[in-house]
Amino acid sequence: MFGDLFEEDCSSVSNNHYGKRKKLKTKALEPPAPREFTNLSGIRNQGGTCYLNSLLQTLHFTPEFREALFSLGPEELGSLEEKDNPDAKVRVIPLQLQRLFAQLLLLDQEAASTEDLTGSFGWTSNEEMRQHDVQELNRILFSALESSLVGTSGHDLINRLYHGTIVNQIVCKECKNVSEKQEDFLDLTVAVKNVSGLEDALWNMYVEEEVFDSDNLYHCGACDRLVGAAKSAKLRKLPPFLTVSLLRFNFDFVKCERYKETSCYTFPLRINLKPFCEQSDLDDSQYEYDLFSVIIHQGGCHGGHYHVYVKDVDRLGSWQGQEEKSKPGVNLEDHQNEEAMEDPLRTLKAILSQEENNLIPVDLLGQKLLKKIGISWNKKYRKQYGPLRKFLQLHSQVFLLSSDENTVGLLKNCSLEVEPDPQRKDQPTFQTLASDSAGLNGRASCPHWFDINDSKVQPIEEKDIKQQFQGKESAYMLFYRKSQLQRPAEARANPRHKVPRHLLDEMDAANTELQARRAEYDSTNNNIELHLHLGPHYHFFNGALHPVVSETESVWDLTFDQRKTLGDLRQSIFQLLESWEGDMVLSVAKLLPAGLHVYQTLDGDGLTLCELDVADEEDVFVWDGVEVGGVQIPTGSDCEPLLLNVLRLATSSEGCPRLTESPRVFPANAEVGSVFTALAVPAGVVLVHEPGSAGDERWAAIPKEDLAKTFREQGLGNGSSILIQDSSNENNSLLTKQGKWITSVNEVDWVQVKNFCQSELEEEQITIPATVNTVVFDIRIKAIKELKLMKELADSSCLRPVDRNGKLLCPVPDSYTLKEAELKTGSSLGLCPGKAPTSSQLFLFFAVGSGAQPGTEMEVIVEETISVRDCLKIMLEKFGLPGDTWHLRKVDWCWEAGEPLYEEEAALRELMIRSGDTLLVAEGRLLPPGFLKVSVWWYQPRGPGAQGTSLQDQTTGTPSAGGLRRAASAPGAPGDVHGDTCLRYLGDLEISEDATLAELKSQALALPSLSELCVPSPAFLRAWTVDGRRPGRLLRDSRQQLREHKLGRRAAVCLEPLQEEELLGPRDVLLRTRLRLPGERAYAPPADLVWDAARATASSLRQRVAEFYSLPVEKVEIAKYFPDKSEWLPVSSWNQQTTKRKKKKKQDNLLGAPYYLKDGDTVGVKNLLVEDDDDFGTAGDDAGRGNQTQQLALGTGASQEALRVRSSDIFSSAETPSQPHRPEASLSIRVGSFR
């Protein structure tokens, strides 16, 4: 907004801007840096958008996707200029993608910006700073593009390029009936855990069969009974571009935490998918795919960084291996010759064109090729291009092969050279070397891979991809393209290929503007500010130059280009002054405390100011080079004027000696003895100020023989002090023989001491001279004397520092110096009654209650070897508190009580208690070592009360009488184990860590609060931890010790009554299932279902649900509920990742992404016999999502504070562990309606 506010100061020097006042110099805004040697552009990270940058670069290096997007013109997408017009249908997302791709192709900048693109997504700055999953983004971005391109010729863009089909079949072993279901996919999600690589995972998914037998039979519709069957899946339709997502994130049910799978997972550069396809009668080339992009995740499951390896299919970048970067420049003509040799098409055409009859045997052609390039076809080209005859067949537009394929010639209309693209004539200069980059090392056939890490682009070797097989930095998404996809010759090294004309014009204009900005910045960055001091306006006085009138009249400011010469500067000054007579000499000067001093003269009119080392803000003295005001001027650093502080002893009006100080200027090369002449002192001693050996300061006399040395040789500079001791005033010296002060002078180090010994008197304070090496005892004794206090205080007082709030801190031992006590001179100390603690004692503050406030503590001195128990007794006696139901806690630096001091027999020294620490005497007896205090709650899921309410409404509850904590609920709202809850506080238990969970349940039954409840035995109780004021982790094995359950010292457990005894196995998962009520968008009350997750497949869970509700398995649909998002995730009817090789452990599919099923999760069940639709939601879910959107817009701060306030009174009668976790924000892209 300050675009031209300071335009005058930033202009070029040709205008010779100058003035008689100092001007504010502004630094021009630096334009974007140009592309580096790779000639490729990165993308700037907006704070957390590395995942977006990696995916966008992958799409950009998918030329078919890029060009398909470019083919959509403004007549279909609209124009960005009309995006704010409500009547215009502007498809902003594809337009911004087009513009970004054009910038990545053509704009000469190191990194492009995605701010306009994310703005079209509807993202705020908060969303741009939050990192999301790139696999999730891939699906959401494709969905947004499909919605944006509805009604255009590109409506099937995503479907055409990325859409594939999977067919799932179940074959009945009795009647051979085939039940078939087809599924579409945009990406394949493959397992990583317990799998060696991609091909192994695909084999398990599309080759291995799952057999239904024994107790896991299949209900055949034709047989109408449970029979044995085999299930399999195959790839029916392959897309041109195959996206593979690796499931690297899993859930550890032992540790109850997510983790990243970092084991070795291989993937090939070329893969043949024929074994995994339904139709395998086509040629192998139809199934071959080449890897061209690898998105890499670096970090763990809770955060990290993304970057991408991409293959430059069109050779747009300048690729160099690491060994070529350090090589000196190579001849461009040699590069072109090498590139011609690397191109087999060009080489063969050159050989055939030299033949007279233009027709030779194929074998002879191979021999001539060997003679021309020194290597055979099979060794150089076969790996990439195949056999020679096959290569000639594939290029039938160039070569004429006989019917028996023994002779070959060139077609008559085939030119020797490939015609260049006419569009490239106006290509910017930064791209001219792109086509030559392939031949830098004679390896044009070598794939060109780059590592694009946000703004940085680096070439890599193909072998570097293997480093991403395993580890914390490993491959996360793979992108393959069909090997048969060939790029046209005109697209090679041509970034302007198929870019729309309006974008070409826009990028050309942007490049022109960038070049102008860089030139302007370069000029501005080379402009320096010179301060011209005009000689006629100065006079020489007191050893230096001073303005005659004022500095503003004598100093002119000039902005000048440092790339110009000294002669140009002199000419500019002549033009400025107009009336200068005689020679003009320019000298570098410097403003010193004494005044302006001239150093060296600038010589060489042909040299630039940069070569003359003229710096910015340099002072230049303009004069005739001889004299100023008729006085010859000393120049150079040798005679630099020094401003010294001269101290002399004088006699005051009362006749007492006093010290006077006056500034004096002396040349640096003058003798020290000249000071006597300047001061008219016949003789005496010169003393200089220097540090002493013990750290204090002292005055040292200069020997008479050294008075002939110069001030600089004595180490004196501007501001140095010298003391002149007149030989006639030796009796009045202010120094001892050691050169230390014995009376005060103007500036003396001191400390301030306040009197706190007599509280009935007004507080007095005095200043005591001291240095950092003064002993505290000396300060205390001197303060007692000056305050005229009783001599008895010498043995019964101490000094205590006073902080900025007036609080007295820990006493300082008398034997310490100020430096050892970490006190600075100028500090405030308090003289207080009582002795300071010895080296073996501790001075402690302590308070009683739930918290300590500064200034309200009491004080005590104890031995550092005293135990915690004995220290507690001393403090209780001082407070007069009886009983043994107290314990000690240490208060931290922000006055919050920390963990209790559990080891009551340990010495304070062993617990790292130091003098000055504050301890809190808190009520409550500590448990013996090895014991836990467990808060016990009663949990009973209650029935419905209303219909259509979302689980979002259950996150808040109202406390009721008797310690009851209720969560709002509804039958129509699906509830997980945390929904429909009713927690009632029962009491606390003290129990050993070695006790079992069953013993904990038994002791809980003995609590008075449970006396009115009829529970037959502990076996009829289910135990959960309390997490976030709701049931959390299920405690399974009742025979397991509490220590193994890892409850912690401040544990909370809720008990749930059961109708019958329950014995859950280690692989059993307890789910809350809810049957959907037909036609009501509501659910029946929850029912517990125990599912054996040994196989953890969708079919296994569906089979178990069907048995539980006595429904046919093919008429059951299930979905998991996510209460934080108010969303349902249907469990796919046909799971692709269910089977493994017979000798391998089966993949825990539903226990991993994206379901992460665990104990207590809610599973909705739909009976397709009475309701056949895809909707699992309720009206309450719709309201919950609306509330989330509103809270996200308003900010989470107020809602979190409200949640804290609402829940602050709920658990007032007992402590509960952790607070609820902040819900994860979902990723979304907002798209307008174009239907």
Side-chain angles (χ1 to χ4, degrees):
M1 59 182 174
F2 301 111
D4 57 355
L5 183 58
F6 305 110
E7 183 181 357
E8 182 180 5
D9 300 312
C10 300
S11 304
S12 66
V13 74
S14 59
N15 295 327
N16 290 328
H17 294 289
Y18 63 94
K20 298 183 180 181
R21 294 185 179 182
K22 289 282 184 180
K23 298 179 297 183
L24 179 62
K25 183 179 180 181
T26 60
K27 187 176 180 67
L29 183 63
E30 184 175 1
R35 302 191 182 201
E36 295 185 350
F37 70 96
T38 60
N39 198 31
L40 296 178
S41 176
I43 301 177
R44 284 192 292 275
N45 194 327
Q46 297 188 52
T49 56
C50 56
Y51 68 102
L52 173 65
N53 296 348
S54 300
L55 181 60
L56 290 175
Q57 290 285 12
T58 299
L59 297 178
H60 168 239
F61 281 92
T62 310
E64 291 80 2
F65 175 86
R66 185 183 68 224
E67 292 169 1
L69 198 62
F70 280 151
S71 67
L72 303 175
E75 64 279 358
E76 292 188 277
L77 302 181
S79 173
L80 289 174
E81 288 75 14
E82 299 180 354
K83 65 179 180 179
D84 296 327
N85 183 0
D87 298 328
K89 281 194 173 183
V90 181
R91 305 169 194 266
V92 183
I93 293 179
L95 284 173
Q96 291 291 5
L97 264 179
Q98 282 185 347
R99 193 164 180 268
L100 176 64
F101 288 161
Q103 291 175 351
L104 293 174
L105 286 170
L106 301 171
L107 198 57
D108 185 17
Q109 59 181 359
E110 182 185 31
S113 172
T114 56
E115 291 183 3
D116 292 337
L117 179 63
T118 55
S120 70
F121 292 168
W123 291 2
T124 62
S125 58
N126 290 335
E127 290 168 303
E128 291 161 355
M129 293 295 292
R130 183 184 293 116
Q131 190 179 99
H132 290 280
D133 183 72
V134 69
Q135 297 177 4
E136 180 185 15
L137 172 70
N138 184 57
R139 301 184 184 103
I140 293 176
L141 179 59
F142 279 4
S143 176
L145 274 174
E146 284 185 318
S147 301
S148 298
L149 297 178
V150 169
T152 70
S153 59
H155 64 91
D156 62 342
L157 170 63
I158 303 299
N159 188 68
R160 188 172 71 250
L161 296 181
Y162 296 95
H163 176 265
T165 305
I166 299 172
V167 58
N168 298 275
Q169 295 180 341
I170 297 182
V171 180
C172 176
K173 291 186 176 181
E174 301 289 336
C175 66
K176 306 302 180 183
N177 178 62
V178 178
S179 176
E180 182 177 288
K181 186 171 183 179
Q182 182 171 295
E183 289 184 355
D184 299 330
F185 71 88
L186 291 177
D187 65 310
L188 293 180
T189 303
V190 298
V192 174
K193 184 179 179 182
N194 299 327
V195 182
S196 62
L198 176 61
E199 292 170 307
D200 188 20
L202 293 176
W203 184 274
N204 295 332
M205 293 166 60
Y206 303 115
V207 177
E208 293 284 352
E209 291 185 342
E210 182 181 4
V211 178
F212 297 98
D213 54 13
S214 301
D215 59 342
N216 183 27
L217 297 175
Y218 166 72
H219 184 274
C220 176
C223 301
D224 196 22
R225 60 188 177 89
L226 293 176
V227 296
K231 190 183 83 170
S232 63
K234 289 288 184 182
L235 296 172
R236 172 167 287 179
K237 175 193 171 187
L238 293 175
F241 298 93
L242 181 66
T243 304
V244 181
S245 299
L246 308 184
L247 286 176
R248 284 210 175 265
F249 298 115
N250 284 302
F251 190 83
D252 189 331
F253 283 89
V254 177
K255 299 180 180 179
C256 290
E257 63 183 16
R258 295 183 67 194
Y259 69 95
K260 180 178 179 180
E261 188 67 53
T262 58
S263 58
C264 183
Y265 190 89
T266 62
F267 47 89
L269 296 175
R270 171 170 287 189
I271 187 171
N272 191 318
L273 299 179
K274 188 173 183 178
F276 317 118
C277 293
E278 182 184 28
Q279 299 177 355
S280 57
D281 53 347
L282 301 177
D283 187 71
D284 280 3
S285 60
Q286 299 286 338
Y287 303 97
E288 288 183 347
Y289 281 77
D290 291 329
L291 182 72
F292 75 97
S293 177
V294 182
I295 293 182
I296 299 158
H297 181 266
Q298 178 182 7
C301 60
H302 299 296
H305 178 69
Y306 290 96
H307 62 108
V308 62
Y309 287 177
V310 293
K311 182 180 180 181
D312 187 7
V313 178
D314 283 346
R315 303 293 176 94
L316 301 177
S318 175
W319 186 89
Q320 287 179 289
Q322 299 297 327
E323 65 276 5
E324 286 87 10
K325 292 182 185 178
S326 57
K327 289 184 179 181
V330 189
N331 187 276
L332 184 61
E333 184 177 354
D334 294 340
H335 287 169
Q336 295 172 346
N337 294 334
E338 290 175 3
E339 182 184 7
M341 293 174 60
E342 292 298 328
D343 186 355
L345 183 64
R346 188 181 302 181
T347 305
L348 294 177
K349 287 169 62 178
I351 295 174
L352 290 174
S353 63
Q354 296 175 359
E355 296 296 319
E356 293 182 1
N357 56 3
N358 198 19
L359 193 67
I360 62 174
V362 175
D363 294 338
L364 181 60
L365 176 62
Q367 296 176 11
K368 288 182 176 292
L369 176 68
L370 173 63
K371 184 177 180 181
K372 182 176 180 64
I373 65 175
I375 189 171
S376 66
W377 172 275
N378 287 341
K379 288 185 178 181
K380 188 169 183 66
Y381 300 119
R382 183 184 177 93
K383 184 176 181 181
Q384 183 174 2
Y385 298 102
L388 177 58
R389 282 183 171 81
K390 183 177 180 181
F391 180 82
L392 297 174
Q393 290 174 352
L394 291 175
H395 294 81
S396 57
Q397 75 278 12
V398 178
F399 304 107
L400 179 61
L401 199 63
S402 63
S403 58
D404 58 0
E405 298 183 353
N406 288 329
T407 58
V408 63
L410 277 178
L411 289 176
K412 293 182 179 180
N413 58 351
C414 176
S415 62
L416 182 61
E417 297 295 331
V418 178
E419 293 295 329
D421 185 1
Q423 287 186 339
R424 297 184 64 184
K425 61 185 180 180
D426 55 344
Q427 186 174 348
T429 57
F430 77 95
Q431 297 164 345
T432 54
L433 294 178
S435 61
D436 300 321
S437 62
L440 287 177
N441 60 343
R443 296 169 59 193
S445 60
C446 175
H448 290 189
W449 283 84
F450 293 90
D451 177 12
I452 306 183
N453 192 342
D454 289 337
S455 300
K456 297 300 179 183
V457 183
Q458 295 291 333
I460 60 170
E461 301 278 354
E462 196 172 54
K463 61 184 180 181
D464 295 335
I465 300 175
K466 295 181 180 179
Q467 300 175 4
Q468 309 303 330
F469 285 170
Q470 62 185 343
K472 289 189 175 180
E473 182 180 5
S474 50
Y476 191 56
M477 287 188 76
L478 309 175
F479 297 85
Y480 286 87
R481 56 183 287 125
K482 270 197 173 182
S483 303
Q484 283 191 332
L485 293 175
Q486 297 293 329
R487 298 292 295 150
E490 59 269 18
R492 183 184 177 90
N494 181 14
R496 304 174 71 87
H497 180 63
K498 289 194 177 181
V499 179
R501 173 52 56 185
H502 70 280
L503 287 176
L504 287 174
D505 295 340
E506 180 183 347
M507 294 303 110
D508 290 342
N511 276 322
T512 303
E513 181 185 356
L514 270 177
Q515 292 174 4
R517 286 178 57 192
R518 290 187 183 119
E520 181 181 358
Y521 176 80
D522 193 35
S523 175
T524 303
N525 204 37
N526 282 286
N527 286 349
I528 59 175
E529 196 79 18
L530 300 178
H531 306 299
L532 306 179
H533 300 263
L534 307 180
H537 295 175
Y538 277 80
H539 68 285
F540 190 75
F541 169 75
N542 200 16
L545 292 167
H546 298 272
V548 176
V549 183
S550 65
E551 184 177 350
T552 56
E553 295 291 332
S554 307
V555 182
W556 292 55
D557 295 333
L558 174 66
T559 302
F560 201 79
D561 192 338
Q562 64 179 350
R563 296 171 295 183
K564 293 193 174 184
T565 64
L566 179 63
D568 296 332
L569 175 62
R570 196 188 315 275
Q571 186 63 32
S572 297
I573 297 176
F574 267 122
Q575 295 175 2
L576 288 176
L577 300 180
E578 297 178 353
S579 60
W580 187 271
E581 296 181 359
D583 295 334
M584 176 184 290
V585 176
L586 304 180
S587 300
V588 176
K590 186 176 181 181
L591 284 170
L592 302 174
L596 185 70
H597 181 68
V598 178
Y599 285 85
Q600 79 270 11
T601 299
L602 297 174
D603 292 322
D605 283 2
L607 299 177
T608 64
L609 299 190
C610 188
E611 292 171 334
L612 291 170
D613 293 329
V614 177
D616 192 22
E617 302 291 339
E618 193 82 84
D619 291 287
V620 177
F621 192 61
V622 184
W623 61 316
D624 59 6
V626 180
E627 59 183 27
V628 173
V631 179
Q632 287 193 349
I633 306 301
T635 62
S637 58
D638 292 340
C639 57
E640 180 180 298
L642 302 179
L643 182 63
L644 305 178
N645 296 322
V646 180
L647 304 176
R648 291 186 64 192
L649 188 64
T651 304
S652 63
S653 57
E654 293 81 8
C656 298
R658 64 182 182 86
L659 201 62
T660 61
E661 180 179 358
S662 61
R664 292 277 182 162
V665 178
F666 297 94
N669 57 358
E671 295 180 358
V672 176
S674 63
V675 69
F676 296 119
T677 305
L679 298 176
V681 176
V685 180
V686 179
L687 299 100
V688 293
H689 207 208
E690 63 180 27
S693 58
D696 55 347
E697 297 178 344
R698 60 191 298 272
W699 290 91
I702 299 178
K704 288 186 178 182
E705 58 271 17
D706 290 343
L707 292 179
K709 293 184 178 180
T710 64
F711 287 99
R712 176 159 290 162
E713 289 173 340
Q714 286 294 334
L716 298 175
N718 284 301
S720 297
S721 297
I722 59 174
L723 177 63
I724 306 302
Q725 181 70 53
D726 194 343
S727 58
S728 61
N729 291 328
E730 289 183 356
N731 295 331
N732 294 329
S733 175
L734 290 173
L735 300 171
T736 64
K737 291 183 179 180
Q738 289 77 25
K740 297 184 179 180
W741 294 104
I742 57 174
T743 62
S744 60
V745 293
N746 293 341
E747 293 183 3
V748 178
D749 292 333
W750 50 268
V751 292
Q752 193 176 65
V753 180
K754 297 181 180 180
N755 178 21
F756 288 94
C757 289
Q758 297 176 351
S759 57
E760 67 275 2
L761 299 178
E762 184 178 351
E763 185 179 296
E764 300 179 68
Q765 62 184 27
I766 58 172
T767 300
I768 304 294
T771 67
V772 292
N773 295 308
T774 304
V775 179
V776 172
F777 174 79
D778 296 337
I779 298 175
R780 185 168 65 86
I781 296 302
K782 192 167 186 178
I784 293 174
K785 291 181 180 179
E786 295 196 14
L787 290 171
K788 300 178 181 179
L789 300 176
M790 296 181 296
K791 294 181 180 180
E792 291 78 4
L793 287 174
D795 298 326
S796 61
S797 62
C798 61
L799 288 178
R800 298 174 62 179
V802 182
D803 67 7
R804 64 182 64 183
N805 297 319
K807 177 186 175 182
L808 290 169
L809 304 180
C810 179
V812 181
D814 280 345
S815 59
Y816 281 21
T817 63
L818 292 183
K819 185 176 182 179
E820 292 171 338
E822 298 181 356
L823 294 173
K824 297 180 180 180
T825 55
S827 301
S828 294
L829 301 174
L831 182 64
C832 304
K835 290 185 177 182
T838 64
S839 59
S840 64
Q841 292 179 324
L842 299 176
F843 182 91
L844 303 176
F845 299 97
F846 66 98
V848 174
S850 59
Q853 297 297 326
T856 62
E857 313 93 336
M858 296 183 68
E859 303 162 355
V860 65
I861 296 178
V862 296
E863 295 293 330
E864 64 180 2
T865 55
I866 194 174
S867 66
V868 174
R869 187 186 306 277
D870 293 337
C871 181
L872 175 61
K873 290 180 180 179
I874 295 175
M875 293 178 178
L876 290 175
E877 290 175 2
K878 283 185 171 290
F879 273 112
L881 295 174
D884 56 353
T885 58
W886 302 89
H887 65 275
L888 287 179
R889 293 172 180 258
K890 186 177 179 180
V891 177
D892 61 16
W893 62 274
C894 55
W895 295 95
E896 292 184 357
E899 288 293 324
L901 303 182
Y902 287 104
E903 302 177 30
E904 295 187 313
E905 299 303 327
L908 297 181
R909 178 177 58 187
E910 297 172 0
L911 298 179
M912 307 300 290
I913 304 297
R914 299 287 182 261
S915 284
D917 286 348
T918 301
L919 300 180
L920 185 67
V921 181
E923 191 169 7
R925 182 175 57 85
L926 289 180
L927 297 176
F931 276 75
L932 301 175
K933 184 176 182 179
V934 181
S935 298
V936 183
W937 297 77
W938 184 253
Y939 163 54
Q940 184 165 9
R942 61 190 183 92
Q947 292 193 10
T949 308
S950 171
L951 278 180
Q952 286 298 117
D953 305 328
Q954 302 172 17
T955 58
T956 60
T958 55
S960 59
L964 187 64
R965 196 270 188 192
R966 297 185 183 275
S969 178
D976 64 352
V977 75
H978 308 317
D980 298 343
T981 57
C982 179
L983 290 181
R984 188 176 69 179
Y985 175 63
L986 300 178
D988 293 337
L989 291 179
E990 294 181 4
I991 189 169
S992 171
E993 290 181 333
D994 297 327
T996 63
L997 180 62
E999 293 172 339
L1000 172 65
K1001 295 177 182 179
S1002 299
Q1003 293 191 28
L1005 288 177
L1007 291 172
S1009 306
L1010 274 178
S1011 58
E1012 71 274 10
L1013 299 175
C1014 297
V1015 179
S1017 71
F1020 287 83
L1021 290 176
R1022 180 188 292 155
W1024 304 80
T1025 62
V1026 178
D1027 183 15
R1029 301 182 177 89
R1030 292 184 177 276
R1033 177 165 52 96
L1034 178 62
L1035 303 179
R1036 294 172 173 274
D1037 191 354
S1038 295
R1039 297 167 296 178
Q1040 200 170 25
Q1041 292 180 337
L1042 298 181
R1043 177 185 290 106
E1044 297 174 355
H1045 283 291
K1046 299 179 182 179
L1047 298 179
R1049 288 184 177 271
R1050 302 165 63 184
V1053 172
C1054 62
L1055 302 176
E1056 176 187 358
L1058 300 174
Q1059 298 298 322
E1060 57 185 15
E1061 294 186 15
E1062 179 180 72
L1063 182 61
L1064 295 177
R1067 292 178 178 265
D1068 289 343
V1069 177
L1070 176 68
L1071 301 175
R1072 307 287 196 194
T1073 60
R1074 301 192 106 179
L1075 185 63
R1076 188 171 177 87
L1077 302 178
E1080 297 187 24
R1081 294 198 77 200
Y1083 288 86
D1088 291 347
L1089 180 144
V1090 177
W1091 169 50
D1092 183 2
R1095 290 186 298 159
T1097 62
S1099 60
S1100 170
L1101 178 59
R1102 183 174 286 101
Q1103 184 80 27
R1104 179 71 182 92
V1105 171
E1107 292 175 0
F1108 185 80
Y1109 285 101
S1110 301
L1111 294 172
V1113 66
E1114 67 273 11
K1115 297 301 180 180
V1116 171
E1117 285 292 339
I1118 55 178
K1120 180 192 171 180
Y1121 186 70
F1122 290 88
D1124 290 338
K1125 299 180 181 180
S1126 296
E1127 292 177 352
W1128 294 88
L1129 180 59
V1131 178
S1132 174
S1133 299
W1134 303 97
N1135 194 284
Q1136 303 171 22
Q1137 305 166 27
T1138 56
T1139 60
K1140 298 290 170 189
R1141 292 179 179 175
K1142 295 181 179 179
K1143 296 184 180 180
K1144 290 192 174 183
K1145 179 183 177 182
K1146 296 193 175 184
Q1147 174 70 22
D1148 296 335
N1149 181 33
L1150 293 186
L1151 304 183
Y1155 301 101
Y1156 298 111
L1157 277 180
K1158 62 183 184 303
D1159 293 315
D1161 278 350
T1162 294
V1163 174
V1165 182
K1166 184 180 294 186
N1167 183 358
L1168 299 183
L1169 294 174
V1170 294
E1171 187 176 22
D1172 188 9
D1173 58 40
D1174 297 331
D1175 182 25
F1176 272 90
T1178 67
D1181 295 330
D1182 300 338
R1185 287 191 293 270
N1187 292 338
Q1188 282 187 343
T1189 304
Q1190 185 177 4
Q1191 289 181 3
L1192 187 62
L1194 296 177
T1196 58
S1199 60
Q1200 288 180 347
E1201 179 64 19
L1203 178 63
R1204 185 189 65 79
V1205 171
R1206 286 196 300 266
S1207 59
S1208 60
D1209 297 330
I1210 294 174
F1211 279 62
S1212 58
S1213 59
E1215 290 188 40
T1216 57
S1218 60
Q1219 295 183 355
H1221 297 289
R1222 181 177 180 179
E1224 295 182 2
S1226 59
L1227 177 66
S1228 63
I1229 297 177
R1230 288 173 277 282
V1231 186
S1233 177
F1234 300 104
R1235 298 188 180 274

